[in-house]
């Protein structure tokens, strides 16, 4: 089976749930369809991400949602990694070590 067809592992599922919760909380009272449209995704995709049913959204989707929600990408990265959101910005060191 190809890597892209494999089921996500439990850590990836939990990371997706954290990210979905962050997007849901950040969206707050904003209309989901408006946010989804602004991010370039369907409202159904936004719903799946927010509910943790899409544990590994694509990078472009995450970037689009961050832009639509005026959410720093670093914050989303820290939440995905399970780090406190008060961590210093991720540097150009090649990622998380």
């Amino acid at each position: 089976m190809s890597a892209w067809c494999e089921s996500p592992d439990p850590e990836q599922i939990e990371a997706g749930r954290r990210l979905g919760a962050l997007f849901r909380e950040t969206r707050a009272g904003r209309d989901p369809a408006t946010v989804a449209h602004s991010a370039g995704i369907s409202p159904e995709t936004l719903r799946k991400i927010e509910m943790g049913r899409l544990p590994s959204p694509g990078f472009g989707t995450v970037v689009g949602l961050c832009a639509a929600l005026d959410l720093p990408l670093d914050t989303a990265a820290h939440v995905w990694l399970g780090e406190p959101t008060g961590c210093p910005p991720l540097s150009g060191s090649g990622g998380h070590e």
Side-chain angles (χ1 to χ4, degrees), residues 15-28 49-50 62 66 69 71-80 85:
R17 287 183 180 143
R18 287 191 304 269
L19 191 61
L22 172 68
F23 288 143
R24 186 174 56 250
E25 291 165 13
T26 304
R27 181 175 58 79
I49 292 169
E50 288 185 348
V62 173
C66 285
L69 295 168
L71 177 70
L73 190 54
D74 276 356
T75 299
H78 286 300
V79 167
W80 172 266
T85 55

Side-chain angles (χ1 to χ4, degrees), residues 5 13 18-19 23 32 35 40 42 48 50 52 54 58 62-63 69 79-80 88-90 92-95:
C5 292
I13 291 170
R18 287 191 304 269
L19 191 61
F23 288 143
V35 171
S42 71
K48 286 178 181 177
E50 288 185 348
L54 188 61
V62 173
V63 170
L69 295 168
V79 167
W80 172 266
L90 299 175
S93 65

